Every structure is written in C-alpha cells, then in structure tokens.
Amino acid sequence: MNSRQPIPVIVLAGFLGSGKTTVLNHLLAGRGGTRIGVVVNDFGSIEIDAMSVAGQVGDSMVSLGGGCLCCAVDGSELDAYLEKLSAPAHRIDVIVIEASGLAEPQEMIRMLMASENPAIRYGGLVQVVDAAEFDATRDRHPETDRHLAVADLVVLNKTDRVDIGERARIKRELDALCAPGTPVVGADHGRIDPELLFDRRPWTETRGQLSFEDLLAEAEGHDHCAHAHAVYESTEFTSDQALSPRRFIDFLDRRPSGLYRIKGFVWFGIPGHEEKYEVHAVGRFLRFAPQPWERGEARLTQLVLIGAGTDGPGLVRELEACREEAPQDASPESMWGVLRYVAEPRPAAGPEADVEADAEVEAEPESGLGAEAPAAW
C-alpha cells in the first residue's frame, strides 16, 4: 500500500457468540502478505486459532513476524491505539476492529468518522449474524435490527447448522431489516474470502524468523492464500474511453446484491476533474479518492468486481454502456454524484496535478446515521 494513502479501518461487529473472532481468525489466516492491524474491543483476551506456537494475545500490544498487532482496548483508548497502528514504522495495510459483543457499532462508526488522524479512514461495517441463534438473538437484543440497518456487509455465519429452508427464511428477514442492496454472505466456521474486504499481497520470503503466515501454514498444512469459497467470481473491466459519472453512479445504485466488492480506478475526464478516481466498495460502503496520474500514464478505467451469483458478461455490458464519447463537453456538475462520496472534493485540476489521494467517504442520508454518517449505497 502506498504510504501516502490512509489506512482503511473495518469494523467487525456482532453479538456475543456470533462468530466474530472466528471470522477474524480466518481473515488473518488467509491474508497472504497483507499486514493487518487488529484492535480487539472486547472482554478479556482473545484466542487466535493456530497461534499457540506464537503465544497468547492478551491485553497488551503484540507484534508478530507477519505484522499483526493486536490490542485489547476500551472506546476511550481507540484513537490512541489507531494512532499507534497507523504509524509508518508498522507498515500496516488495513486495520480490523473487532467490536465488543455489546458494543454499539453506530457509535464506533461515529468515532472513526470524527477522527482527526489523517493516516486512517473508515472502511465499512461488517455485521456477523449467528444463523442458528438468529431469532433468539433478536429476542434478547432488540437493537440487532438497528445494527443491521447500518451494516455495509452482513456475514450470515454458522449456515452449516441450519437447513436450506431456514437459511432462506433468515435471508428474507435480513433483506427486510438491512438497507436495500446490502449484501449477505453465507459462511460456516467464519470462512469468508479476505478479498471481499481487502487486497492480499503475495507472500514474501521469511528472513530471520517464521512469519505469521508460515506459522499458520505449518499448523494447518495448506495454502492460506487460496480463496475461501470457489463460489466467488471476479469480473474485470478496462476501458480507454472515459466513463460518464452519472451513468456510473446509476450502475452502482442498481448493482445486484451478490456484488460484494468493487475496486479500481475510474477515468471520467470531466473538465476540472481530470484526475483518476480510485473507487473502493465493500457491500454498501462506497468511497472515491482522486489521485494524480503518473507522468505518461495512460488514461484508463480499470475495475475488478467480486461477487457470487453475478452475471459477469452482463456487468461488463452495463459498464460499457457507461462510456462517454465526449467527456470534455460535459458539465462539471455531472460529477456531483461522485463527489458526494469524496470527503473533501478537490478543486479543479489538470492532468498532471499533484492531488493527494487521502479522501474519506462523505455523508449519505440513506445510511440512517445522519449527516455524520459514512456513505452507503
């Protein structure tokens, strides 16, 4: 990750027993060479599977060979720990906050959005749901419905413990409780593909001591870079013709619910907005960040779309329909739909302008969190 880019902070929430720690363990196990900072806001310590060889993660910061930093904190300490994790010396690529089973994810989101630390940015809320205890959890914790309403991605965990009919019923309930278009990923034993949340780097050779990846591979005996589910599909789209910002936003607004993640760069070419726009989406969470073109870099749109049960060729056709033949003639106002997902819209810039790509996502009224909320699609 470019050191100039703010580190995405993903909130992993869910009630006690839903399987958050299991999901976290799987993300750590399958991260490849990605350096993950972990903040655990929970009661007591956390046991990380397959890590007995490396020691128990307790209440203090622990640094492992692969760069995993785990802390147990309360809310008042969150800013301090995020500042530590985002220090350049740690070279962290992504931070995952495992919220307490009794935490209010809405408040954690507000804390992250209000943070004045330029080295981090909010990266979305992942809500873990226990399929086997879904009704009982809602009875014990009526606030479940409120949490689901602000989730960007829902992991329906322990699907192996319910039959197909029950799973379909819960899915219908979740569709009604969540904001329209919120993806629901089914999982057993917390196994979701890390690529749904962040990029994985290739492993590097170990120097001096075993890395975290080596320890896990040694303990479990398989390649943790392998995708968790073969059902996930990846579709790529490249265009040397600029895209219409309005048509592209329309595409995002009506994307299928099985489309979990979109990443890449978009070339709009609108006067005053000639930068390339990094796009990052996890579930309903969406942000754009303008970045300068490298000298001599070809003006291209390059996107990767990851989902399940999606029509890849159909997605490509929809994106092809977003192409704009004469972007130089378009009005700058056509960028408004994009700029609402940029924290601080940039002033007019030329093709070689040195625009810092450190934008966070702006408020979105539909997210249910008010004017301070992260954007949701």
Side-chain angles (χ1 to χ4, degrees):
M1 176 177 291
N2 188 329
S3 61
R4 297 170 61 190
Q5 305 304 313
I7 300 169
V9 180
I10 298 167
V11 177
L12 183 63
F15 286 101
L16 295 169
S18 61
K20 298 188 305 298
T21 300
T22 307
V23 171
L24 175 59
N25 291 340
H26 188 76
L27 293 175
L28 292 171
R31 63 190 176 148
T34 302
R35 299 176 66 88
I36 305 177
V38 179
V39 176
V40 178
N41 176 212
D42 216 331
F43 299 103
S45 61
I46 169 178
E47 294 185 0
I48 296 184
D49 296 340
M51 284 205 46
S52 59
V53 289
Q56 177 74 25
V57 176
D59 292 336
S60 60
M61 184 179 297
V62 176
S63 178
L64 301 175
C68 174
L69 303 174
C70 301
C71 318
V73 301
D74 61 41
S76 64
E77 297 173 303
L78 185 58
D79 281 341
Y81 278 98
L82 289 175
E83 185 173 355
K84 289 181 180 180
L85 289 170
S86 61
H90 297 312
R91 295 180 293 137
I92 293 296
D93 297 307
V94 61
I95 297 172
V96 178
I97 298 178
E98 183 189 354
S100 160
L102 300 178
E104 281 288 342
Q106 189 171 3
E107 293 307 311
M108 300 194 75
I109 294 171
R110 291 187 189 278
M111 290 173 63
L112 290 170
M113 297 298 292
S115 173
E116 297 181 355
N117 183 353
I120 65 167
R121 62 171 174 80
Y122 174 65
L125 169 64
V126 179
Q127 187 78 17
V128 182
V129 174
D130 184 339
E133 299 291 334
F134 179 67
D135 294 327
T137 299
R138 291 184 69 199
D139 288 341
R140 289 194 305 269
H141 303 285
E143 62 269 32
T144 298
D145 294 3
R146 186 175 69 251
H147 296 178
L148 288 167
V150 298
D152 297 301
L153 179 69
V154 174
V155 176
L156 182 59
N157 196 28
K158 306 183 185 181
T159 55
D160 56 313
R161 295 179 55 189
V162 297
D163 60 31
I164 294 176
E166 179 69 357
R167 194 182 313 169
R169 181 191 70 82
I170 295 172
K171 177 64 165 59
R172 290 193 297 271
E173 293 273 356
L174 290 172
D175 288 341
L177 293 170
C178 297
T182 303
V184 178
V185 181
D188 60 83
H189 298 91
R191 291 192 289 260
I192 65 169
D193 194 332
E195 291 282 357
L196 298 183
L197 302 181
F198 54 80
D199 293 334
R200 288 183 294 190
R201 290 184 172 187
W203 283 13
T204 56
E205 293 184 10
T206 300
R207 290 183 172 83
Q209 64 178 28
L210 286 176
S211 70
F212 185 36
E213 291 86 356
D214 292 329
L215 292 171
L216 287 166
E218 189 175 274
E220 297 189 6
H222 60 83
D223 181 5
H224 292 281
C225 280
H227 280 209
H229 290 145
V231 70
Y232 298 146
E233 304 154 353
S234 178
T235 300
E236 297 182 0
F237 173 77
T238 301
S239 174
D240 58 5
Q241 188 172 332
L243 300 191
S244 161
R246 286 175 174 160
R247 290 198 290 274
F248 186 60
I249 288 294
D250 286 343
F251 166 80
L252 295 177
D253 285 344
R254 53 185 166 76
R255 79 212 175 285
S257 61
L259 187 54
Y260 304 134
R261 189 174 180 212
I262 300 176
K263 59 181 179 177
F265 298 92
V266 185
W267 161 234
F268 295 116
I270 304 298
H273 301 281
E274 290 92 349
E275 311 96 323
K276 64 179 176 182
Y277 280 76
E278 178 190 14
V279 58
H280 172 74
V282 173
R284 296 186 311 121
F285 176 79
L286 172 66
R287 79 173 184 96
F288 286 94
Q291 297 186 20
W293 297 97
E294 299 292 338
R295 190 171 298 279
E297 182 179 359
R299 276 32 176 181
L300 293 172
T301 290
Q302 296 177 299
L303 296 171
V304 177
L305 303 91
I306 301 173
T310 54
D311 176 9
L315 293 174
V316 170
R317 287 192 296 271
E318 290 189 56
L319 287 168
E320 288 174 342
C322 294
R323 288 172 171 160
E324 178 61 63
E325 292 186 1
Q328 68 277 4
D329 297 333
S331 166
E333 286 77 12
S334 64
M335 284 292 293
W336 285 356
V338 171
L339 295 180
R340 38 194 308 250
Y341 296 102
V342 177
E344 296 179 2
R346 300 303 192 251
E352 304 297 336
D354 184 17
V355 179
E356 294 291 335
D358 60 355
E360 300 171 24
V361 71
E362 196 182 44
E364 170 72 12
E366 290 82 358
S367 69
L369 293 176
E372 298 288 327
W377 59 14

